């Protein structure tokens, strides 16, 4: 056991600016889907370089609206990964559609683009690619395949605020978007937070209009429009919609969080490079690979364990040393009633291996360099304690 304070896996960076922003909104009297939400949308769109941004209650609801907007209906199929947070697949299931799971790349945690075409059927209606743990997926390969088949691409960018991709020879932020729609999360486990919150970005004004309709019960007149009108307006409800609104307190906090990204992203990238350097000296753990065309925000820093290393024991040793970790990303097809959750579009051997063979390490903007050193020292101890007896003898 350790006497030093333990190091958490993640920690939101919130301060007095966020406290003041929320208080200002409460005093204003307009507390949901009002002027702060509009301002947050405009600032987020500008940050990622998108024509349109629409705020919603979280990224799960963002994904649901994105899939509805591109026409996903009951009985349709949506190609995605099983190796993701369950929200990705649940959004497909909310539409009455079937997630079709394909495997991840050999040397990363994102969809293997080579497996997409073979998983297509006449019922394929969309592809959801996930920028897992903040690492951009290979859009340069995925998008031509999708376009060739006329299938829309929704980017699950829940973890990817501030990540960049080299596209058309320029570094661009995830969310322009490069596919048809990108969906972001502002849960506290992500890089910036509004408590809960989500955002959809697109270049298509028609898609943006459908998000705005569906996020508030398909109500024909928004509250801001009605409030500003000089005459009485009656609204109508043209189809099934939802209450997926973001509050103005959350939006005001989000605006402050965006201002911190200029500090948060470079610091996270710096911490990741310290990890990579120190882990290089260990040569037992495989650090995550960043392709030359990607700049991750390092929402999570996930390392591969040596073959056969008992993950749970390894993580317990780290916890005893005051280091909080998480196992590799879950596999949706292994949860619940299994086959009912979706259909397998390929074998998922790499996805399953990554869940049991990887561990996520602490990384957050406030983390100190010497805390990274402490984590790496603890990793050295845990590796030693977990080594099979035959090797140590
Ligand atoms: C966190 C996460 C989500 C869900 O985001 P919420 O805002 O919590 O709904 C979806 N997909 C991925 C990959 C995530 O990591």
């Amino acid at each position: 056991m350790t006497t030093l304070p333990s190091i958490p896996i993640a920690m939101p960076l919130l301060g007095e600016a966020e406290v003041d922003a929320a208080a200002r909104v409460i005093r204003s009297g307009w507390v949901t889907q009002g002027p702060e939400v509009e301002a947050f949308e405009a600032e987020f769109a500008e940050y990622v370089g998108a024509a349109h941004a629409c705020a919603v209650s979280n990224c799960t609801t963002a994904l649901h609206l994105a899939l509805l907007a591109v026409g996903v209906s009951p009985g349709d199929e949506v190609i995605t990964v099983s190796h993701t947070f369950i929200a990705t697949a649940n959004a497909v299931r909310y539409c009455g559609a079937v997630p079709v799971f394909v495997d991840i790349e050999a040397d990363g945690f994102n969809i293997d683009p080579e497996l997409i075409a073979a998983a297509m059927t006449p019922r394929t209606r969309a592809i959801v690619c996930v920028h897992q743990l903040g690492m951009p997926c290979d859009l340069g390969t995925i998008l031509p395949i999708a376009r060739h088949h006329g299938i829309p691409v929704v980017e699950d960018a829940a973890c990817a605020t501030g990540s960049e991709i080299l596209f058309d020879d320029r570094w661009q932020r995830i969310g322009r978007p490069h596919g048809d729609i990108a969906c972001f999360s502002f849960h506290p486990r992500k890089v910036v937070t509004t408590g809960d919150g989500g955002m959809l970005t697109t270049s298509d004004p028609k898609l943006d209009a459908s998000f705005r309709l569906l996020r508030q019960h398909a109500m024909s007149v928004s509250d801001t429009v009605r409030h500003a009108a000089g005459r009485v307006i009656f609204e109508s409800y043209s189809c099934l919609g939802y209450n997926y609104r973001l509050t103005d307190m959350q939006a005001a906090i989000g605006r402050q969080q965006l201002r911190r990204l200029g500090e948060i992203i470079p610091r996270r990238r710096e911490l990741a490079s310290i990890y990579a350097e120190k882990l290089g000296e260990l040569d037992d753990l495989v650090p995550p690979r960043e392709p030359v065309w990607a700049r991750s925000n390092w929402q999570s820093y996930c390392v591969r364990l040596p073959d056969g290393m008992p993950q749970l024991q390894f993580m317990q040793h780290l916890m005893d040393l005051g280091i909080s970790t998480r196992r590799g990303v879950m596999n949706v097809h292994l949860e619940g009633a299994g086959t009912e959750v979706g259909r397998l579009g390929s074998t998922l051997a790499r996805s399953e291996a990554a869940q049991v063979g990887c561990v996520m390490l602490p990384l957050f903007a406030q983390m100190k360099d010497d805390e990274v050193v402490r984590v790496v020292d603890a990793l050295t101890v845990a590796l030693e304690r977990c080594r099979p007896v035959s090797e140590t003898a």
Side-chain angles (χ1 to χ4, degrees):
M1 290 292 174
T2 177
T3 49
L4 289 166
S6 40
I7 302 176
I9 183 81
M11 197 193 289
L13 181 54
L14 291 161
E16 287 309 308
E18 283 80 2
V19 174
D20 293 344
R24 173 167 47 75
V25 172
I26 293 166
R27 291 196 183 97
S28 81
W30 194 325
V31 289
T32 197
Q33 207 169 273
E36 289 291 334
V37 168
E38 241 176 70
F40 183 36
E41 289 172 340
E43 288 166 16
F44 191 85
E46 197 193 335
Y47 177 75
V48 299
H52 306 278
C54 177
V56 287
S57 49
N58 55 64
C59 185
T60 312
T61 55
L63 288 164
H64 184 198
L65 295 192
L67 293 169
L68 291 174
V70 299
V72 173
S73 313
D76 286 343
E77 293 181 344
V78 175
I79 297 174
T80 188
V81 282
S82 173
H83 181 265
T84 182
F85 184 52
I86 198 162
T88 315
N90 282 349
V92 176
R93 297 161 80 196
Y94 295 166
C95 299
V98 181
V100 176
F101 299 124
V102 298
D103 212 355
I104 56 173
E105 304 154 296
D107 54 355
F109 304 110
N110 284 333
I111 192 167
D112 182 348
E114 306 302 326
L115 301 174
I116 292 175
M120 290 208 188
T121 75
R123 288 189 300 168
T124 305
R125 183 56 61 90
I127 296 167
V128 178
C129 60
V130 183
H131 302 299
Q132 194 55 262
L133 310 178
M135 185 66 73
C137 53
D138 186 1
L139 291 168
T141 308
I142 296 166
L143 296 177
I145 297 168
R147 290 206 188 101
H148 177 74
H149 290 86
I151 303 293
V153 173
V154 173
E155 298 171 51
D156 181 341
C159 304
T161 304
S163 298
E164 293 175 65
I165 186 164
L166 192 60
F167 204 88
D168 294 337
D169 299 322
R170 277 194 305 121
W171 284 102
Q172 304 182 355
R173 294 217 170 100
I174 291 296
R176 196 182 57 159
H178 299 88
D180 296 82
I181 303 167
C183 300
F184 292 87
S185 172
F186 307 122
H187 181 272
R189 181 69 178 82
K190 317 298 187 197
V191 171
V192 285
T193 187
T194 58
D196 262 310
M199 193 74 80
L200 295 117
T201 61
T202 184
S203 350
D204 183 342
K206 288 209 247 10
L207 288 176
D208 184 62
S210 46
F211 310 151
R212 286 170 194 284
L213 200 64
L214 294 172
R215 73 174 169 178
Q216 196 176 14
H217 297 291
M219 192 166 110
S220 60
V221 186
S222 76
D223 296 322
T224 34
V225 167
R226 202 203 318 241
H227 185 75
R231 56 197 172 80
V232 175
I233 310 178
F234 292 152
E235 77 281 11
S236 60
Y237 304 84
S238 54
C239 61
L240 176 63
Y242 305 86
N243 174 3
Y244 286 171
R245 286 185 297 261
L246 189 75
T247 71
D248 275 42
M249 283 78 76
Q250 290 169 306
I253 292 168
R255 295 177 69 193
Q256 296 304 322
Q257 290 276 283
L258 291 183
R259 285 180 201 157
R260 294 188 192 271
L261 279 167
E263 173 197 341
I264 289 175
I265 304 292
R267 180 57 186 156
R268 297 186 71 98
R269 291 188 55 77
E270 193 171 35
L271 290 163
S273 67
I274 302 174
Y275 264 129
E277 188 194 314
K278 301 273 172 215
L279 291 175
E281 295 163 13
L282 242 65
D283 81 24
D284 268 325
L285 297 169
V286 185
R289 187 187 66 98
E290 185 175 64
V292 289
W293 43 262
R295 284 183 190 153
S296 181
N297 63 7
W298 298 109
Q299 182 267 342
S300 285
Y301 195 85
C302 189
V303 298
R304 272 175 209 276
L305 301 176
D307 278 346
M309 172 110 353
Q311 183 191 45
L312 187 99
Q313 260 170 278
F314 184 76
M315 291 170 68
Q316 186 62 52
H317 284 306
L318 289 168
M319 184 180 268
D320 294 344
L321 294 162
I323 312 295
S324 175
T325 60
R326 296 289 179 275
R327 66 171 181 176
V329 175
M330 66 175 293
N331 275 256
V332 178
H333 75 283
L334 300 178
E335 299 297 324
T339 51
E340 277 173 34
V341 175
R343 185 169 76 69
L344 304 197
S346 79
T347 62
L348 300 175
R350 292 173 190 154
S351 300
E352 292 179 10
Q355 178 177 337
V356 297
C358 293
V359 169
M360 295 183 207
L361 306 180
L363 199 160
F364 44 94
Q366 308 92 310
M367 197 173 178
K368 301 279 182 287
D369 291 10
D370 59 7
E371 290 180 306
V372 180
V373 174
R374 233 185 94 196
V375 173
V376 176
D377 288 347
L379 290 169
T380 314
V381 174
L383 280 168
E384 202 48 53
R385 289 186 185 162
C386 286
R387 220 171 282 288
V389 181
S390 57
E391 271 186 47
T392 47

